[in-house]
Amino acid sequence: MDVASFNRQLQDLQDRAVASIAAADSPAALEAIESAMLGRKGELKGLLGGIGQLPAEDRPKVGALANPVRTAIEQALAERRVGLEADALDARLRAEAEDVTLPGRPRWRGSLHPLRETEREIARVFGQFGFVVVDSPEVESDELNFEALNIPADHPSRDLWDTIYVREPVGRESDERLLLRTHTSPGQIRAMRGSEPPIRVLTPGRCYRYEAVDASHGFEFFQIEGLMVDEGTTLAHLRGLLDAFAHALFGADRATRFRPGYYPFTEPSVAFDIGCVVCEGEGCPACKRSGWMTILGAGMVHPVVLRNGGIDPERYQGFAFGMGTDRIAMLRYAITDIRAFLADDMRFLERL
Ligand code: DAH
């Protein structure tokens, strides 16, 4: 052995150590390499153990050659450790990465109540014919809810419409009996008294009746009233308008018909039917096997009612109609229980 041979072996040791450090893929592997090369029983120690065979003056030379080898291996270990840590961090970041390009969860923004949506749709259709929506109060006078509409105190139809009284007269002259309106028809009187013909209005809103509640009756429900007053207004205009309405809401092929009806505030009065939306006219339980469904009441405004509204029946004619918003919405959405509308059940509201 001479110095040159030690030098070759040291270089070989360094090359092998550096190559295996570069290939190591874990801190544990580095640990093993470190102890195999530089440890107390490692290769470097073993190699230097042979130094005794050299002449005394050569030994420091080998020592001087060994030091940079040790340093180079230590440095390679340190660098590889840092490299492995960075790889591990990279891998973790990749594994735990959030995809920020995924769309966020949409926020629940709410929606129109099916009754409101139906009301707006009806108003939109009649709006195309020049009808405007006006408000009319829910607390109404006996006079406007009944008397002015040609329903005197002893009229039998009051029995059907008995209602919830808010205030009974206590005898003073200015006293009025107040009640929760049983229909939106008092809106007709208010519209006639509040403006001049031509009049085309809709008065939508809540109505109340002293009613036994079931799947098709609520004590609180919704109507939309329509009124047109002008010179030369006829039943044919009413028919054309209601046909257009039925076709807009229930399809252009929907069959329609007028049947004779009775209301104290119209003469003549009609019931307006559409072909059953369930069986398309075949006959089914929903239409009581008739093939028809009544969706509203209507007629030519009674001359007495025109006069009560301050309108001259010799000069003007009018027609009026009234429909249950709940009923229309039930047909539109195939809802079978009217109580669902006001039950505040989110499952019902979200499904529509
Ligand atoms: N007010 C009626 C009701 O509550 C509905 C109605 C029928 C209104 C005929 C009208 C009409 O304007 O002409 O049942």
PDB file of all heavy atoms in Angstrom, residues 85-108:
ATOM      1  N   GLU A  85     -36.552  16.598   2.428  1.00  0.00           N
ATOM      2  CA  GLU A  85     -37.577  17.349   3.174  1.00  0.00           C
ATOM      3  C   GLU A  85     -38.437  18.168   2.224  1.00  0.00           C
ATOM      4  O   GLU A  85     -39.665  18.218   2.354  1.00  0.00           O
ATOM      5  CB  GLU A  85     -36.914  18.275   4.198  1.00  0.00           C
ATOM      6  CG  GLU A  85     -36.706  17.592   5.536  1.00  0.00           C
ATOM      7  CD  GLU A  85     -35.781  18.405   6.440  1.00  0.00           C
ATOM      8  OE1 GLU A  85     -35.768  19.650   6.300  1.00  0.00           O
ATOM      9  OE2 GLU A  85     -35.080  17.789   7.253  1.00  0.00           O
ATOM     10  N   ALA A  86     -37.764  18.812   1.247  1.00  0.00           N
ATOM     11  CA  ALA A  86     -38.514  19.622   0.287  1.00  0.00           C
ATOM     12  C   ALA A  86     -39.452  18.752  -0.542  1.00  0.00           C
ATOM     13  O   ALA A  86     -40.608  19.113  -0.777  1.00  0.00           O
ATOM     14  CB  ALA A  86     -37.547  20.383  -0.623  1.00  0.00           C
ATOM     15  N   ASP A  87     -38.955  17.560  -0.956  1.00  0.00           N
ATOM     16  CA  ASP A  87     -39.814  16.641  -1.716  1.00  0.00           C
ATOM     17  C   ASP A  87     -41.039  16.237  -0.903  1.00  0.00           C
ATOM     18  O   ASP A  87     -42.162  16.196  -1.405  1.00  0.00           O
ATOM     19  CB  ASP A  87     -39.039  15.367  -2.089  1.00  0.00           C
ATOM     20  CG  ASP A  87     -38.017  15.647  -3.189  1.00  0.00           C
ATOM     21  OD1 ASP A  87     -38.019  16.780  -3.728  1.00  0.00           O
ATOM     22  OD2 ASP A  87     -37.208  14.736  -3.495  1.00  0.00           O
ATOM     23  N   ALA A  88     -40.758  15.922   0.401  1.00  0.00           N
ATOM     24  CA  ALA A  88     -41.871  15.485   1.262  1.00  0.00           C
ATOM     25  C   ALA A  88     -42.907  16.590   1.400  1.00  0.00           C
ATOM     26  O   ALA A  88     -44.117  16.350   1.325  1.00  0.00           O
ATOM     27  CB  ALA A  88     -41.332  15.079   2.633  1.00  0.00           C
ATOM     28  N   LEU A  89     -42.431  17.825   1.579  1.00  0.00           N
ATOM     29  CA  LEU A  89     -43.359  18.951   1.706  1.00  0.00           C
ATOM     30  C   LEU A  89     -44.166  19.124   0.419  1.00  0.00           C
ATOM     31  O   LEU A  89     -45.388  19.297   0.453  1.00  0.00           O
ATOM     32  CB  LEU A  89     -42.564  20.224   2.024  1.00  0.00           C
ATOM     33  CG  LEU A  89     -43.404  21.476   2.252  1.00  0.00           C
ATOM     34  CD1 LEU A  89     -44.316  21.289   3.465  1.00  0.00           C
ATOM     35  CD2 LEU A  89     -42.502  22.702   2.444  1.00  0.00           C
ATOM     36  N   ASP A  90     -43.442  19.030  -0.713  1.00  0.00           N
ATOM     37  CA  ASP A  90     -44.118  19.142  -2.004  1.00  0.00           C
ATOM     38  C   ASP A  90     -45.235  18.122  -2.138  1.00  0.00           C
ATOM     39  O   ASP A  90     -46.359  18.439  -2.519  1.00  0.00           O
ATOM     40  CB  ASP A  90     -43.103  18.873  -3.130  1.00  0.00           C
ATOM     41  CG  ASP A  90     -42.615  20.178  -3.728  1.00  0.00           C
ATOM     42  OD1 ASP A  90     -42.962  21.232  -3.162  1.00  0.00           O
ATOM     43  OD2 ASP A  90     -41.898  20.114  -4.743  1.00  0.00           O
ATOM     44  N   ALA A  91     -44.874  16.893  -1.810  1.00  0.00           N
ATOM     45  CA  ALA A  91     -45.844  15.797  -1.951  1.00  0.00           C
ATOM     46  C   ALA A  91     -47.055  16.067  -1.060  1.00  0.00           C
ATOM     47  O   ALA A  91     -48.199  15.872  -1.465  1.00  0.00           O
ATOM     48  CB  ALA A  91     -45.198  14.474  -1.583  1.00  0.00           C
ATOM     49  N   ARG A  92     -46.800  16.552   0.171  1.00  0.00           N
ATOM     50  CA  ARG A  92     -47.919  16.814   1.083  1.00  0.00           C
ATOM     51  C   ARG A  92     -48.794  17.936   0.554  1.00  0.00           C
ATOM     52  O   ARG A  92     -50.019  17.868   0.582  1.00  0.00           O
ATOM     53  CB  ARG A  92     -47.368  17.197   2.465  1.00  0.00           C
ATOM     54  CG  ARG A  92     -48.135  16.544   3.587  1.00  0.00           C
ATOM     55  CD  ARG A  92     -47.611  16.990   4.923  1.00  0.00           C
ATOM     56  NE  ARG A  92     -48.474  18.003   5.466  1.00  0.00           N
ATOM     57  CZ  ARG A  92     -48.136  18.753   6.520  1.00  0.00           C
ATOM     58  NH1 ARG A  92     -46.969  18.612   7.099  1.00  0.00           N
ATOM     59  NH2 ARG A  92     -48.999  19.635   6.984  1.00  0.00           N
ATOM     60  N   LEU A  93     -48.138  18.981   0.056  1.00  0.00           N
ATOM     61  CA  LEU A  93     -48.924  20.108  -0.464  1.00  0.00           C
ATOM     62  C   LEU A  93     -49.779  19.670  -1.641  1.00  0.00           C
ATOM     63  O   LEU A  93     -50.940  20.075  -1.763  1.00  0.00           O
ATOM     64  CB  LEU A  93     -47.996  21.243  -0.894  1.00  0.00           C
ATOM     65  CG  LEU A  93     -47.328  22.001   0.252  1.00  0.00           C
ATOM     66  CD1 LEU A  93     -46.352  23.032  -0.294  1.00  0.00           C
ATOM     67  CD2 LEU A  93     -48.383  22.680   1.119  1.00  0.00           C
ATOM     68  N   ARG A  94     -49.171  18.796  -2.464  1.00  0.00           N
ATOM     69  CA  ARG A  94     -49.960  18.328  -3.608  1.00  0.00           C
ATOM     70  C   ARG A  94     -51.139  17.490  -3.140  1.00  0.00           C
ATOM     71  O   ARG A  94     -52.260  17.642  -3.612  1.00  0.00           O
ATOM     72  CB  ARG A  94     -49.076  17.519  -4.564  1.00  0.00           C
ATOM     73  CG  ARG A  94     -48.719  18.277  -5.832  1.00  0.00           C
ATOM     74  CD  ARG A  94     -48.138  17.348  -6.901  1.00  0.00           C
ATOM     75  NE  ARG A  94     -47.023  16.553  -6.396  1.00  0.00           N
ATOM     76  CZ  ARG A  94     -45.787  17.009  -6.319  1.00  0.00           C
ATOM     77  NH1 ARG A  94     -45.507  18.245  -6.691  1.00  0.00           N
ATOM     78  NH2 ARG A  94     -44.828  16.241  -5.866  1.00  0.00           N
ATOM     79  N   ALA A  95     -50.872  16.608  -2.178  1.00  0.00           N
ATOM     80  CA  ALA A  95     -51.924  15.703  -1.696  1.00  0.00           C
ATOM     81  C   ALA A  95     -53.057  16.469  -1.011  1.00  0.00           C
ATOM     82  O   ALA A  95     -54.227  16.119  -1.123  1.00  0.00           O
ATOM     83  CB  ALA A  95     -51.331  14.672  -0.750  1.00  0.00           C
ATOM     84  N   GLU A  96     -52.692  17.522  -0.272  1.00  0.00           N
ATOM     85  CA  GLU A  96     -53.726  18.228   0.498  1.00  0.00           C
ATOM     86  C   GLU A  96     -54.258  19.458  -0.225  1.00  0.00           C
ATOM     87  O   GLU A  96     -55.009  20.250   0.345  1.00  0.00           O
ATOM     88  CB  GLU A  96     -53.133  18.654   1.857  1.00  0.00           C
ATOM     89  CG  GLU A  96     -52.775  17.460   2.722  1.00  0.00           C
ATOM     90  CD  GLU A  96     -52.074  17.883   4.009  1.00  0.00           C
ATOM     91  OE1 GLU A  96     -51.980  19.098   4.257  1.00  0.00           O
ATOM     92  OE2 GLU A  96     -51.627  16.978   4.740  1.00  0.00           O
ATOM     93  N   ALA A  97     -53.870  19.596  -1.492  1.00  0.00           N
ATOM     94  CA  ALA A  97     -54.240  20.822  -2.210  1.00  0.00           C
ATOM     95  C   ALA A  97     -55.762  20.938  -2.358  1.00  0.00           C
ATOM     96  O   ALA A  97     -56.457  19.935  -2.542  1.00  0.00           O
ATOM     97  CB  ALA A  97     -53.582  20.820  -3.582  1.00  0.00           C
ATOM     98  N   GLU A  98     -56.293  22.152  -2.231  1.00  0.00           N
ATOM     99  CA  GLU A  98     -57.711  22.413  -2.521  1.00  0.00           C
ATOM    100  C   GLU A  98     -57.787  22.923  -3.954  1.00  0.00           C
ATOM    101  O   GLU A  98     -56.973  23.737  -4.361  1.00  0.00           O
ATOM    102  CB  GLU A  98     -58.255  23.520  -1.599  1.00  0.00           C
ATOM    103  CG  GLU A  98     -58.115  23.232  -0.130  1.00  0.00           C
ATOM    104  CD  GLU A  98     -59.105  22.181   0.342  1.00  0.00           C
ATOM    105  OE1 GLU A  98     -60.024  21.850  -0.438  1.00  0.00           O
ATOM    106  OE2 GLU A  98     -58.951  21.699   1.465  1.00  0.00           O
ATOM    107  N   ASP A  99     -58.791  22.432  -4.675  1.00  0.00           N
ATOM    108  CA  ASP A  99     -58.968  22.936  -6.025  1.00  0.00           C
ATOM    109  C   ASP A  99     -59.791  24.228  -5.950  1.00  0.00           C
ATOM    110  O   ASP A  99     -60.998  24.203  -5.836  1.00  0.00           O
ATOM    111  CB  ASP A  99     -59.711  21.887  -6.873  1.00  0.00           C
ATOM    112  CG  ASP A  99     -59.873  22.366  -8.313  1.00  0.00           C
ATOM    113  OD1 ASP A  99     -59.532  23.533  -8.588  1.00  0.00           O
ATOM    114  OD2 ASP A  99     -60.320  21.563  -9.148  1.00  0.00           O
ATOM    115  N   VAL A 100     -59.053  25.340  -6.010  1.00  0.00           N
ATOM    116  CA  VAL A 100     -59.765  26.617  -5.851  1.00  0.00           C
ATOM    117  C   VAL A 100     -60.558  27.003  -7.093  1.00  0.00           C
ATOM    118  O   VAL A 100     -61.270  27.991  -7.083  1.00  0.00           O
ATOM    119  CB  VAL A 100     -58.786  27.764  -5.488  1.00  0.00           C
ATOM    120  CG1 VAL A 100     -58.168  27.526  -4.134  1.00  0.00           C
ATOM    121  CG2 VAL A 100     -57.711  27.907  -6.561  1.00  0.00           C
ATOM    122  N   THR A 101     -60.439  26.173  -8.143  1.00  0.00           N
ATOM    123  CA  THR A 101     -61.227  26.503  -9.333  1.00  0.00           C
ATOM    124  C   THR A 101     -62.606  25.848  -9.288  1.00  0.00           C
ATOM    125  O   THR A 101     -63.453  26.120 -10.130  1.00  0.00           O
ATOM    126  CB  THR A 101     -60.525  26.033 -10.625  1.00  0.00           C
ATOM    127  OG1 THR A 101     -60.479  24.608 -10.615  1.00  0.00           O
ATOM    128  CG2 THR A 101     -59.116  26.585 -10.707  1.00  0.00           C
ATOM    129  N   LEU A 102     -62.858  24.971  -8.297  1.00  0.00           N
ATOM    130  CA  LEU A 102     -64.206  24.385  -8.184  1.00  0.00           C
ATOM    131  C   LEU A 102     -65.210  25.498  -7.922  1.00  0.00           C
ATOM    132  O   LEU A 102     -64.934  26.414  -7.150  1.00  0.00           O
ATOM    133  CB  LEU A 102     -64.255  23.407  -7.001  1.00  0.00           C
ATOM    134  CG  LEU A 102     -63.683  22.013  -7.229  1.00  0.00           C
ATOM    135  CD1 LEU A 102     -63.729  21.238  -5.926  1.00  0.00           C
ATOM    136  CD2 LEU A 102     -64.466  21.274  -8.300  1.00  0.00           C
ATOM    137  N   PRO A 103     -66.389  25.413  -8.547  1.00  0.00           N
ATOM    138  CA  PRO A 103     -67.392  26.445  -8.268  1.00  0.00           C
ATOM    139  C   PRO A 103     -67.820  26.376  -6.801  1.00  0.00           C
ATOM    140  O   PRO A 103     -67.908  25.287  -6.233  1.00  0.00           O
ATOM    141  CB  PRO A 103     -68.555  26.088  -9.205  1.00  0.00           C
ATOM    142  CG  PRO A 103     -68.304  24.683  -9.645  1.00  0.00           C
ATOM    143  CD  PRO A 103     -66.834  24.410  -9.508  1.00  0.00           C
ATOM    144  N   GLY A 104     -68.093  27.501  -6.183  1.00  0.00           N
ATOM    145  CA  GLY A 104     -68.522  27.532  -4.789  1.00  0.00           C
ATOM    146  C   GLY A 104     -69.926  26.986  -4.648  1.00  0.00           C
ATOM    147  O   GLY A 104     -70.623  26.781  -5.635  1.00  0.00           O
ATOM    148  N   ARG A 105     -70.330  26.725  -3.409  1.00  0.00           N
ATOM    149  CA  ARG A 105     -71.723  26.307  -3.189  1.00  0.00           C
ATOM    150  C   ARG A 105     -72.629  27.509  -3.398  1.00  0.00           C
ATOM    151  O   ARG A 105     -72.402  28.551  -2.809  1.00  0.00           O
ATOM    152  CB  ARG A 105     -71.897  25.799  -1.755  1.00  0.00           C
ATOM    153  CG  ARG A 105     -71.235  24.465  -1.556  1.00  0.00           C
ATOM    154  CD  ARG A 105     -71.791  23.742  -0.348  1.00  0.00           C
ATOM    155  NE  ARG A 105     -70.933  22.588  -0.090  1.00  0.00           N
ATOM    156  CZ  ARG A 105     -69.889  22.634   0.732  1.00  0.00           C
ATOM    157  NH1 ARG A 105     -69.604  23.737   1.385  1.00  0.00           N
ATOM    158  NH2 ARG A 105     -69.139  21.575   0.912  1.00  0.00           N
ATOM    159  N   PRO A 106     -73.646  27.329  -4.239  1.00  0.00           N
ATOM    160  CA  PRO A 106     -74.526  28.483  -4.459  1.00  0.00           C
ATOM    161  C   PRO A 106     -75.251  28.848  -3.164  1.00  0.00           C
ATOM    162  O   PRO A 106     -75.621  27.969  -2.386  1.00  0.00           O
ATOM    163  CB  PRO A 106     -75.506  27.985  -5.520  1.00  0.00           C
ATOM    164  CG  PRO A 106     -75.414  26.504  -5.495  1.00  0.00           C
ATOM    165  CD  PRO A 106     -74.069  26.134  -4.969  1.00  0.00           C
ATOM    166  N   ARG A 107     -75.419  30.105  -2.945  1.00  0.00           N
ATOM    167  CA  ARG A 107     -76.114  30.534  -1.745  1.00  0.00           C
ATOM    168  C   ARG A 107     -77.625  30.431  -1.983  1.00  0.00           C
ATOM    169  O   ARG A 107     -78.109  30.765  -3.063  1.00  0.00           O
ATOM    170  CB  ARG A 107     -75.752  31.988  -1.461  1.00  0.00           C
ATOM    171  CG  ARG A 107     -76.172  32.415  -0.073  1.00  0.00           C
ATOM    172  CD  ARG A 107     -76.173  33.904   0.020  1.00  0.00           C
ATOM    173  NE  ARG A 107     -74.799  34.414   0.072  1.00  0.00           N
ATOM    174  CZ  ARG A 107     -74.471  35.473   0.783  1.00  0.00           C
ATOM    175  NH1 ARG A 107     -75.377  36.089   1.509  1.00  0.00           N
ATOM    176  NH2 ARG A 107     -73.244  35.924   0.754  1.00  0.00           N
ATOM    177  N   TRP A 108     -78.376  29.937  -1.007  1.00  0.00           N
ATOM    178  CA  TRP A 108     -79.827  29.836  -1.125  1.00  0.00           C
ATOM    179  C   TRP A 108     -80.417  31.227  -1.106  1.00  0.00           C
ATOM    180  O   TRP A 108     -80.261  31.966  -0.135  1.00  0.00           O
ATOM    181  CB  TRP A 108     -80.373  28.975   0.022  1.00  0.00           C
ATOM    182  CG  TRP A 108     -81.861  29.007   0.140  1.00  0.00           C
ATOM    183  CD1 TRP A 108     -82.584  29.503   1.184  1.00  0.00           C
ATOM    184  CD2 TRP A 108     -82.811  28.523  -0.815  1.00  0.00           C
ATOM    185  NE1 TRP A 108     -83.914  29.370   0.940  1.00  0.00           N
ATOM    186  CE2 TRP A 108     -84.095  28.776  -0.281  1.00  0.00           C
ATOM    187  CE3 TRP A 108     -82.709  27.924  -2.071  1.00  0.00           C
ATOM    188  CZ2 TRP A 108     -85.249  28.430  -0.966  1.00  0.00           C
ATOM    189  CZ3 TRP A 108     -83.878  27.582  -2.741  1.00  0.00           C
ATOM    190  CH2 TRP A 108     -85.114  27.827  -2.177  1.00  0.00           C
TER     191      TRP A 108
END
